[in-house]
């Protein structure tokens, strides 16, 4: 049974839930949406969209230099020694509260919007596949692609939520998935995508 919860930590309410808490029950594991700093998440893993964006920079700074070395070592096992769009690799979390980091290569929306849709969904599915392989029971995602990669937030939210929900339904894994978002507007877009 999935419980979808939208949390706004800036709204004063008991238990940290806003007055706009949204819930939906389906047949999968829990999915949460919250505003926060993904580098402070204590989930088994956080997802890092590798590249020039602020999320990648914040994660690398919080984790320490060992994270970059571990990422480069992990990607040498990939075909061509590079992380392609939609692929992901796992490293330890080092200085992060999360035990591990799942690194994925986000799509650039302007290059090819149709391919970007497929790649964004694949990022989320591949991250959850790796989480299952490694026995993780909780994973936190940022709003992948919506920063420097300029993916439209509402569309990114819809694709991310649909991909995660489908993956959780297909694999009966008792996994908590949390989307850690950077503003009330982005939180609203992701919560809205979960209510379709």
């Amino acid at each position: 049974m999935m419980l979808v919860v939208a949390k706004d930590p800036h709204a004063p309410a008991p238990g940290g839930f806003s007055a706009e808490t949204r819930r939906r029950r389906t047949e999968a594991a829990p999915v949460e949406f919250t505003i926060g700093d993904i580098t402070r998440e204590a989930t088994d893993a956080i997802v890092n969209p590798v590249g020039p964006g602020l999320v990648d920079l914040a994660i690398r700074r919080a984790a320490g230099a060992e994270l970059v070395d571990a990422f480069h070592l992990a990607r040498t096992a990939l075909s061509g020694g590079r992380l392609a769009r939609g692929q992901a690799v796992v490293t330890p979390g080092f200085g992060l509260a999360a035990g591990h980091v799942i690194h994925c290569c986000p799509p650039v929306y302007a290059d090819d919007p149709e391919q970007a849709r497929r790649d964004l969904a694949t990022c989320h599915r591949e991250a959850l596949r790796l989480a299952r392989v490694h026995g993780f029971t909780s994973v936190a995602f940022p709003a992948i692609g919506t920063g420097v990669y300029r993916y439209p937030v509402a569309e990114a939210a819809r694709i991310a939520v649909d991909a995660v929900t489908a993956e959780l339904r297909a694999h009966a894994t008792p996994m908590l998935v949390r989307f850690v978002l950077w503003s009330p507007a982005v939180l609203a877009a992701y919560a809205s995508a979960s209510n379709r």
Side-chain angles (χ1 to χ4, degrees):
M1 185 76 55
M2 178 167 71
L3 175 62
V4 178
V5 180
K7 294 193 270 185
D8 181 349
H10 303 294
F17 293 93
S18 75
E20 296 298 316
T21 297
R22 297 182 181 127
R23 294 186 170 115
R24 179 179 62 138
R25 295 187 183 277
T26 62
E27 297 174 4
V31 176
E32 295 180 355
F33 305 89
T34 189
I35 297 172
D37 178 351
I38 199 160
T39 66
R40 295 183 179 181
E41 285 296 308
T43 48
D44 289 340
I46 61 172
V47 178
N48 178 28
V50 175
L54 294 177
V55 173
D56 181 46
L57 178 62
I59 289 171
R60 285 187 283 124
R61 282 184 177 164
E66 299 95 345
L67 182 71
V68 174
D69 294 339
F71 168 71
H72 289 302
L73 181 61
R75 76 177 188 181
T76 61
L78 298 172
S79 176
R82 60 182 288 274
L83 189 63
R85 304 252 183 255
Q87 284 186 312
V89 295
V90 177
T91 66
F94 298 102
L96 295 164
H100 299 86
V101 178
I102 300 172
H103 305 266
C104 69
C105 187
V108 179
Y109 186 78
D111 288 353
D112 181 345
E114 193 57 42
Q115 184 62 46
R117 290 180 189 100
R118 290 189 294 272
D119 291 344
L120 185 60
T122 302
C123 276
H124 289 84
R125 285 193 303 268
E126 183 63 9
L128 291 179
R129 185 193 69 77
L130 285 176
R132 285 193 309 276
V133 166
H134 290 275
F136 303 154
T137 60
S138 57
V139 177
F141 285 93
I144 295 174
T146 60
V148 297
Y149 293 100
R150 300 182 183 223
Y151 211 106
V153 172
E155 184 178 337
R158 186 174 62 255
I159 291 167
V161 169
D162 287 351
V164 165
T165 302
E167 193 70 9
L168 292 175
R169 284 182 179 149
H171 303 278
T173 305
M175 182 185 300
L176 166 70
V177 175
R178 179 177 296 132
F179 285 93
V180 181
L181 308 162
W182 45 273
S183 77
V186 177
L187 173 71
Y190 276 73
S192 176
S194 75
N195 289 325
R196 292 180 309 115

